[in-house]
Amino acid sequence: MFLIFRWLGWIDTLRPLWVPAFCAGAFGVFLLRQFFMTIPTDLEDAAKIDGCSLFGIYWRIMLPLIKPALAALVIMSFIGGWGDFMRPLIYITSPEKMPLSYAWPFSPASMAASSL
């Protein structure tokens, strides 16, 4: 991935930290698939009978129903990304662009508190 991000010119930017988080990981695909499997197909059939397009079925019926699964996925992705210390060290070289989770333990206030 480093070579791809270097080819795109994304080294020393925050994009290598954000883009993989929005791409579908194995856990996200499995979670959403299982959640979609619990939605009755009768809702989809009723929308087809009413003349709704495939995009309309997804936008008006499926997306509102999967909001809890999406919220859970966003929370778990955020928690997983917060504890990721290796990726910022690989892709970001300037200290002012380091994420808060990495820079916080090395802040002057944190250093002063740890010396007490």
Side-chain angles (χ1 to χ4, degrees):
M1 284 182 55
F2 180 82
L3 296 175
I4 294 170
F5 290 146
R6 187 177 68 182
W7 180 74
L8 291 171
W10 288 0
I11 299 301
D12 202 27
T13 66
L14 295 176
R15 288 184 192 128
L17 305 179
W18 295 342
V19 172
F22 292 119
C23 294
F27 176 72
V29 170
F30 180 73
L31 177 72
L32 292 179
R33 180 198 178 275
Q34 292 301 107
F35 202 84
F36 273 118
M37 297 295 286
T38 63
I39 297 173
T41 57
D42 296 340
L43 293 172
E44 196 174 336
D45 294 338
K48 285 179 187 174
I49 290 171
D50 287 342
C52 199
S53 67
L54 289 176
F55 179 74
I57 291 171
Y58 175 74
W59 189 256
R60 293 186 181 122
I61 296 171
M62 297 297 180
L63 193 61
L65 290 174
I66 65 164
K67 283 183 183 177
L70 288 175
L73 186 60
V74 165
I75 290 169
M76 287 185 253
S77 296
F78 176 78
I79 291 171
W82 181 265
D84 186 14
F85 289 107
M86 186 60 73
R87 196 170 300 178
L89 289 175
I90 294 171
Y91 298 121
I92 299 177
T93 56
S94 57
E96 61 271 359
K97 292 183 182 175
M98 284 290 178
L100 182 62
S101 62
Y102 182 77
W104 194 0
F106 303 110
S107 68
S110 174
M111 294 289 191
S114 66
S115 66
L116 294 176

